[in-house]
Amino acid sequence: DTGVSQDPRHKITKRGQNVTFRCDPISEHNRLYWYRQTLGQGPEFLTYFQNEAQLEKSRLLSDRFSAERPKGSFSTLEIQRTEQGDSAMYLCASSAPGNLNQPQHFGDGTRLSIL
Amino acid sequence: KNEVEQSPQNLTAQEGEFITINCSYSVGISALHWLQQHPGGGIVSLFMLSSGKKKHGRLIATINIQEKHSSLHITASHPRDSAVYICAVGGTVRADKLIFGTGTRLQVFP
């Protein structure tokens, strides 16, 4: 069990640029979640995959955001035309198959800073 | 009013002190989670509970479903316990769609 891995750990970019983050969940986990956390706040749900299917998207996820999990393993989160308000920590979590009521395993996050 | 409220927001303690962090929620839940977040950002799941009490090492978590309240206790606190502690609840329909509190920042000094 190597844990949930996120890449990169930090990303600094200019406003208007596109960025892409990657999440590798624990290998046997079929559920994958993306969260966004701003300074001093708790994480907020962005989107959820079960295997390769994106089953839910938050209203926080504007049309500049897109997430994929093409083979049901790793996932990517892309932000197009970044804005200052996108600066945040982006967290990925995964959980095992079975009932929904189980712990989520989090990665270390990708901290995005928009200049 | 947030659906999950934590208190206090910030907490400082001397090494060895007994610490309590509180969490109140206003929605029906399937389970409550206590999470630990270190300065680097990574989050570790400490407890998931839906009734009673759980203990792991120096950490104890309790929940009172009727009062919609949970507490996280740390006995014999240590500087390495310094972190943000986050309470999160899973709903009754979607247990995995967590609603998070804003966290309690704990600093333990030697």
Side-chain angles (χ1 to χ4, degrees):
Chain A
D1 180 358
T2 57
V4 177
S5 176
Q6 291 189 244
D7 183 71
R9 291 294 313 277
H10 303 275
K11 179 71 177 178
I12 302 172
T13 192
K14 292 181 180 178
R15 184 166 52 93
Q17 298 294 305
N18 299 343
V19 294
T20 300
F21 312 140
R22 177 179 170 125
C23 171
D24 287 87
I26 293 171
S27 58
E28 63 268 25
H29 286 185
N30 67 332
R31 296 195 187 100
L32 186 146
Y33 307 83
W34 284 99
Y35 297 93
R36 181 171 70 187
Q37 185 180 26
T38 53
L39 206 59
Q41 301 297 313
E44 295 174 294
F45 170 81
L46 290 179
T47 189
Y48 156 63
F49 289 86
Q50 184 163 307
N51 301 311
E52 66 277 3
Q54 187 175 20
L55 297 185
E56 187 168 353
K57 289 169 60 171
S58 163
R59 277 171 293 203
L60 292 175
L61 217 62
S62 76
D63 55 8
R64 296 184 298 106
F65 288 71
S66 61
E68 293 183 344
R69 195 183 182 198
K71 297 180 181 177
S73 55
F74 74 91
S75 176
T76 57
L77 178 67
E78 181 183 14
I79 309 174
Q80 296 183 324
R81 305 181 303 282
T82 52
E83 301 174 356
Q84 293 278 358
D86 298 332
S87 295
M89 174 75 85
Y90 291 85
L91 291 157
C92 175
S94 69
S95 65
N99 74 64
L100 294 175
N101 208 15
Q102 48 189 303
Q104 295 181 20
H105 299 255
F106 286 81
D108 287 338
T110 294
R111 186 173 296 281
L112 174 65
S113 298
I114 306 297
L115 302 177
Chain B
K1 192 178 189 306
N2 292 335
E3 291 166 300
V4 180
E5 298 268 0
Q6 288 186 235
S7 63
Q9 285 189 318
N10 295 284
L11 186 54
T12 58
Q14 286 295 123
E15 184 173 356
E17 285 185 7
F18 181 83
I19 287 161
T20 297
I21 299 170
N22 296 299
C23 176
S24 296
Y25 53 93
S26 57
V27 295
I29 68 167
S30 56
L32 183 142
H33 303 250
W34 281 103
L35 309 164
Q36 181 191 56
Q37 186 170 33
H38 280 281
I43 291 177
V44 174
S45 178
L46 299 175
F47 295 104
M48 186 180 79
L49 66 167
S50 53
S51 65
K53 176 178 171 178
K54 287 190 175 181
K55 183 175 190 291
H56 185 258
R58 295 180 295 106
L59 302 179
I60 303 166
T62 64
I63 188 168
N64 184 318
I65 296 293
Q66 286 73 31
E67 295 187 3
K68 295 189 173 180
H69 180 269
S70 175
S71 292
L72 177 68
H73 305 286
I74 305 175
T75 61
S77 60
H78 190 277
R80 66 174 174 264
D81 297 326
S82 298
V84 175
Y85 292 84
I86 302 173
C87 170
V89 299
T92 51
V93 175
R94 279 286 307 280
D96 62 328
K97 192 173 176 183
L98 301 180
I99 304 169
F100 295 81
T102 55
T104 294
R105 182 175 299 277
L106 171 66
Q107 292 187 82
V108 182
F109 294 99

